[in-house]
Amino acid sequence: MCCGVMGNKLMARIGHDDYDRCLAEPYTAETDFTGKPIRSMVYVLPEGFESDKNLTAWVQTCTAFVDALRLKTKETSV
């Protein structure tokens, strides 16, 4: 999963390393649908992705994380 929509929020998969930085961004919140925070994802409230620029930035952050996972998987499978 790269990112998705839960209700009216963007669920962004950003990885453990970027968690604190992304959570400090405006209009973000902990992803806690399991009952506890998931430290590799954040919710982005609608105000945080209203503009095309902001939505693009979040999607790029998510895809960069997922692309890095793919590279890591390829390296370990060789």
Side-chain angles (χ1 to χ4, degrees):
M1 186 190 111
C2 177
C3 57
V5 176
M6 189 162 231
N8 67 345
K9 298 174 275 195
L10 175 68
M11 188 166 49
R13 184 176 184 194
I14 43 80
H16 293 280
D17 293 344
D18 283 335
Y19 179 77
D20 291 328
R21 179 187 64 78
C22 288
L23 193 58
E25 291 289 322
Y27 308 112
T28 59
E30 292 180 333
T31 302
D32 60 356
F33 63 88
T34 63
K36 61 181 182 175
I38 300 171
R39 292 193 50 86
S40 61
M41 303 173 119
V42 294
Y43 283 137
V44 184
L45 305 178
E47 298 87 350
F49 60 91
E50 282 178 330
S51 73
D52 289 345
K53 179 181 175 183
N54 288 345
L55 179 58
T56 298
W58 280 110
V59 171
Q60 287 175 340
T61 298
C62 296
T63 55
F65 173 70
V66 172
D67 286 346
L69 288 178
R70 283 189 215 157
L71 289 174
K72 187 176 181 180
T73 302
K74 284 182 183 180
E75 290 171 1
T76 59
S77 65
V78 174

